[in-house]
Every structure is written in C-alpha cells, then in structure tokens.
Amino acid sequence: MNLAAQTPPDGPSGTGQSHIDRAIRHVSILVVDDEPGMRNYLVRTLQPRCKRIEAAASAEEASQLLDKQHFDLVLLDNVMPGQSGLDWLKEQRRVGFFAEAILMTAYADLDTAIQALRVGASDFVLKPFRSNQILNVINRCMDQRYLRRENFLLKYELQADNLAARGRLIGKSPGIEAVRQTLEKAAPMPTPVLFTGASGTGKEIAARTLHAMSDRADKPFVPINCATASPDRIAADLFGELGRPSGDGLLVQASGGTLFLDEVAELPLTVQASLLRVIEDGCFRPGGAEREVPLNLRFVFASNADLEKAMKEGRFRPDLYHRINVITVHMPLLRDRVGDIPELAELFMGKFSRQLGVTPLPLSEQVLFNLARYDWPGNVRELRNLIERSLILGEFPPEFAGSADETGVEPVESLHAVERRHILTVLEACGGNRAEAARRLGVSRKTIDRKCAMWNV
C-alpha cells in the first residue's frame, strides 16, 4: 500500500513557514520507512529545507547509514518488515544514538505512545499527514532540543559560578591594545588560541571577547575550569556517557560555538590524549558508544602555569601543547597597565552599586592614586573584589581611602594630578631610568619623555 498516495494534498504553508524553514535549515535528517512512496514524499518535501537528507528502506539499512555518518534527526516508521521502529530505536540507544527521533505511525494508541517515550522518541506523527504537519512536528522537536541545551548551559554556568567572568575587555594601555589586535586577527579563524598570564588577569574575559568577535557569537560559549573539575568525572563531563542521566557531554552542548578550557595543565594525561584526537579529527566517541559524533567547535585554552615546565615534568603532553600553542595571547599584569585602573574601578563601582542597591563610593583623586601605587598581586580580580567589599562595608580600607578633607566630588576623568604623582613615583623607584619606568607603567618611552618635558622634570 502506497501511503504517499493517501496523503492529502498540501494546503497553504501558513505565516509560520519561514520560521520553520529557519529552524531546520542546518539539520541533517534520516528517513526510515519501507514504503518507497513515503520515502520519496519526505525527501521531496524536506530536501530544499534542510542541510542534508538520506533515506533507508529498512532498519538494517538505517543502522549502516548511522555507522557511516551523523544525523540530527531520524524520521522513523514504526511498522516495518523484520524489526519495528521502536525495537530498532531501543537497540540503537545501546550502541550510540545521538539524534532526535520522531515516530511515524498509522496506529495511535496509548501503549505505543508510552513505549515511544520510554525508548527516547521525541514526538510522533500520525499517517497520513500533510507537509506542513510534518514540518511543524520537526520544528517543535528541534526547538525543544535547542531549549534543552540552553537550559543545560545556564544551569552549568550557575553551578560553576562563572557569571562573574562575563564582561568586556577594558582598557587602553599598550598591553591591552596588543591583546585586542591579536584577537581581531584570530577571531575569523578556527585555529585554537592559548591565553597565558597570571591568575586574575582576565583570560576568560579575553576568551569571551574572542568568541564575541567571531562568526560563532550567536552560538554557545562553554567554559570549563579543569582545576576544579573532578579528575574522575572530567572525561564523562566532556565527552558524555551512554545512559548518563545528565545527557550529552559538554562537547555536544557547545556544538557550533566555543569551548574554553581554563587551567588546561590540570587535565589528566588520559583526557589530554583524548582531547588531542578530538582537536585533530573533529569528532569524538562518547563513553560506551560504538559510533563517533562529528564536532563543529572552536577550542580555546588558558593557563597560568608554565606549560613548557609541565611538559618537562611529564604533566602535560608535548603533542597537545604544540597543537594548542598556535596563537598565544599573554594577558598583562594589572601593575603593568596602571593607566587602566580608573576605568576598571569605575566599571566595577557602577556594576556592584547597582547589584547591591547602595550608593557608589567616590573615586576621588587620592583614592585613585592609592589604587595606582598598589602592586595588585591578584590583578583585576583583586581590584574587582576590593570594590565589591568596600561597597558592602561602606568605605575603602584605610590604605586606599582618601584623606578626611577630600570632598569626593573630583570626577574620575580629571586624573592629571594622580597621573603625575604616580609616574614620578615609579621614576623615583627606577632610579630615574625612563625605559624601565615605561615598561612598568605599560606605556612607551616617548610618553614618559613627553610627560617629563611637560612637567620640567
């Protein structure tokens, strides 16, 4: 019996058709049905709308296709010779089935619906159906898939307390401008990027900036702190595991976007080997699976450790190091970009005063001078924490506070006096060596010469 012949003629596609087409434009689909008419009908309907479509006439043929390539969605007939669609789906789940499944059936009963849910079918559609009906079902299925991923990633970031790392790259010092220039060149490329620098210098913010500059900006940015992840679970968290309640691993959840591995030197050696293969081959195999999953993913790394020393000590694989050390971005210390402190302090003051619902503390000339002459071993993170703590307590610590007779109304932009005092202080500490003072301040030698001439020094 030719089911396609019984399919009613298509009606108007409706106003939502363009949204449906956008939803399935990047989806690869496998049609599994023993009726040639239905296979041809679905291929004809979906081929102009999706990324790729294949058809199989039996469960055995569908298994062979899945062994060779990945599909995002399987349209599965339930009643087929040899093996039913639901039995086949249950079998595929055991060996590695990484697609959404929509069951097509002419017999709608409660037992079939319950069994379909148990084996992991996302939805089912009754035969015969119109093209707009199957398109609506596919659209709903893919929307639910994307929503699950968004919810998963949001919960993951909340649990990992990563929201504090959101922000933008602040500053105009030579060191930060050099970082920006490198990011602009690297953003359009798929090449891995390695961020180095001391803790608190803003490596994750720089990585997020790189992601925002790239053509992946509307896709997920997934950060993983390898130092805080459990060594026993990091492989399962990254690659996923068949039968795991939390579902796919972070590689799949980040699909299309950027995966940021912070403190990469802390990865166990076995995971380093697996990660190297993923980067080189563009695919991976979840734990317990017999099939591989292709990846469209950009890898970005960060470390405050000396990776070359870690290699010599046998803690980091040389082949992985040479694979990720293609473009290296070194984040400058805060004490080497003193000129950015006023802008950073103002940003944090405004942000935390709004979050805490308190009046901002005045960033007077004396306060800024005290901030500028501090060494900042914790870098930008320490400055951020100082501002937040001071707002909670209602005052700066004594070593940063201004004198009692200050009015606190000096605008942040009027920094001539604090700039002069700080540059002269650094010059004095360098014994008058202008080149060394310029290096510590993160400015050019010409800038120091120009300022000294202006002040008759």
Side-chain angles (χ1 to χ4, degrees):
M1 182 174 62
N2 190 324
L3 293 178
Q6 297 186 18
T7 303
D10 292 339
S13 60
T15 56
Q17 192 64 56
S18 61
H19 167 66
I20 291 173
D21 288 350
R22 286 196 301 271
I24 67 175
R25 185 180 302 159
H26 303 293
V27 175
S28 54
I29 300 174
L30 174 62
V31 175
V32 186
D33 199 301
D34 62 307
E35 288 288 342
M38 179 56 75
R39 293 199 305 274
N40 293 335
Y41 170 71
L42 287 170
V43 169
R44 195 169 60 248
T45 301
L46 298 173
Q47 194 167 43
R49 294 176 167 90
C50 68
K51 181 176 70 175
R52 187 180 89 251
I53 188 165
E54 300 280 349
S58 65
E60 182 182 0
E61 187 180 348
S63 300
Q64 293 171 354
L65 284 170
L66 282 176
D67 287 340
K68 294 177 183 176
Q69 55 192 320
H70 170 77
F71 292 91
D72 300 307
L73 175 68
V74 174
L75 297 176
L76 178 64
D77 184 30
N78 190 33
V79 180
M80 294 186 293
Q83 188 178 30
S84 73
L86 288 178
D87 288 343
W88 176 81
L89 184 57
K90 185 177 180 180
E91 177 186 278
Q92 294 304 304
R93 293 286 181 193
R94 289 196 295 267
V95 299
F97 184 83
F98 310 110
E100 301 295 320
I102 295 175
L103 189 70
M104 301 181 294
T105 178
Y107 308 100
D109 58 72
L110 185 60
D111 289 342
T112 302
I114 291 173
Q115 190 180 358
L117 290 174
R118 284 177 176 171
V119 299
S122 303
D123 208 338
F124 65 89
V125 61
L126 295 177
K127 293 181 175 181
F129 46 75
R130 297 174 182 267
S131 64
N132 62 326
Q133 289 175 312
I134 189 66
L135 288 169
N136 280 324
V137 173
I138 293 173
N139 176 64
R140 183 168 63 243
C141 175
M142 300 313 296
D143 277 350
Q144 289 173 351
R145 181 184 189 181
Y146 299 141
L147 184 60
R148 285 197 306 271
R149 181 168 80 165
E150 288 176 2
N151 289 339
F152 175 89
L153 292 175
L154 180 58
K155 289 178 181 177
Y156 170 77
E157 287 225 38
L158 288 171
Q159 291 170 356
D161 193 26
N162 262 319
L163 296 181
R166 295 177 179 269
R168 54 195 175 95
L169 206 56
I170 295 294
K172 299 181 178 63
S173 63
I176 289 299
E177 287 295 345
V179 169
R180 279 201 191 91
Q181 290 172 12
T182 304
L183 296 185
E184 288 172 0
K185 293 176 182 176
M189 310 297 177
T191 311
V193 176
L194 173 63
F195 290 91
T196 61
S199 178
T201 50
K203 294 186 290 293
E204 181 170 338
I205 287 179
R208 288 181 182 272
T209 302
L210 174 71
H211 175 72
M213 289 177 171
S214 73
D215 57 2
R216 300 173 181 267
D218 60 339
K219 299 297 191 297
F221 177 93
V222 180
I224 303 171
N225 190 320
C226 304
T228 59
S230 167
D232 298 330
R233 298 303 305 164
I234 184 67
D237 289 342
L238 278 172
F239 307 116
E241 231 172 26
L242 287 188
R244 193 181 183 203
S246 57
D248 296 325
L250 291 168
L251 290 177
V252 171
Q253 300 292 351
S255 180
T258 301
L259 188 75
F260 174 63
L261 290 160
D262 196 7
E263 304 305 338
V264 66
E266 301 300 323
L267 274 180
L269 287 170
T270 53
V271 179
Q272 290 180 30
S274 301
L275 183 62
L276 174 64
R277 184 172 180 274
V278 170
I279 296 171
E280 292 189 334
D281 296 347
C283 59
F284 75 101
R285 182 174 296 179
E290 298 177 13
R291 294 193 180 108
E292 292 188 332
V293 182
L295 274 181
N296 172 20
L297 197 58
R298 182 176 199 169
F299 289 90
V300 178
F301 305 88
S303 178
N304 60 15
D306 185 340
L307 292 181
E308 292 188 0
K309 180 180 178 183
M311 280 195 300
K312 293 176 182 176
E313 294 174 350
R315 295 184 292 108
F316 201 77
R317 292 178 61 99
D319 48 5
L320 179 59
Y321 173 74
H322 295 303
R323 186 65 186 85
I324 69 177
N325 189 31
V326 180
I327 299 177
T328 302
V329 179
H330 184 74
M331 299 301 296
L333 301 171
L334 183 56
R335 66 171 176 263
D336 292 334
R337 44 181 295 213
V338 173
D340 294 335
I341 288 177
E343 187 178 359
L344 288 165
E346 186 179 24
L347 173 74
F348 295 143
M349 187 65 71
K351 173 184 175 181
F352 288 120
S353 64
R354 289 190 297 272
Q355 287 182 1
L356 300 171
V358 299
T359 303
L361 296 175
L363 289 167
S364 65
E365 188 175 300
Q366 184 62 45
V367 169
L368 290 171
F369 175 69
N370 291 336
L371 293 175
R373 68 181 183 179
Y374 180 62
D375 199 41
W376 298 110
N379 294 292
V380 178
R381 184 182 293 123
E382 185 179 1
L383 173 62
R384 175 186 175 276
N385 293 342
L386 170 72
I387 298 294
E388 184 178 11
R389 183 169 60 251
S390 300
L391 277 168
I392 293 171
L393 299 176
E395 60 181 0
F396 286 104
E399 61 270 30
F400 295 105
S403 59
D405 59 349
E406 279 192 297
T407 63
V409 296
E410 178 90 21
V412 174
E413 290 78 7
S414 302
L415 299 177
H416 301 297
V418 67
E419 179 187 53
R420 182 178 186 275
R421 281 198 294 269
H422 182 62
I423 288 177
L424 293 180
T425 300
V426 173
L427 264 174
E428 183 180 357
C430 297
N433 187 327
R434 295 185 181 184
E436 175 62 18
R439 189 194 67 78
R440 293 190 186 184
L441 291 166
V443 299
S444 68
R445 167 64 186 270
K446 289 182 179 179
T447 299
I448 298 296
D449 291 339
R450 180 167 50 82
K451 296 289 185 183
C452 290
M454 184 190 307
W455 301 325
N456 295 320
V457 174

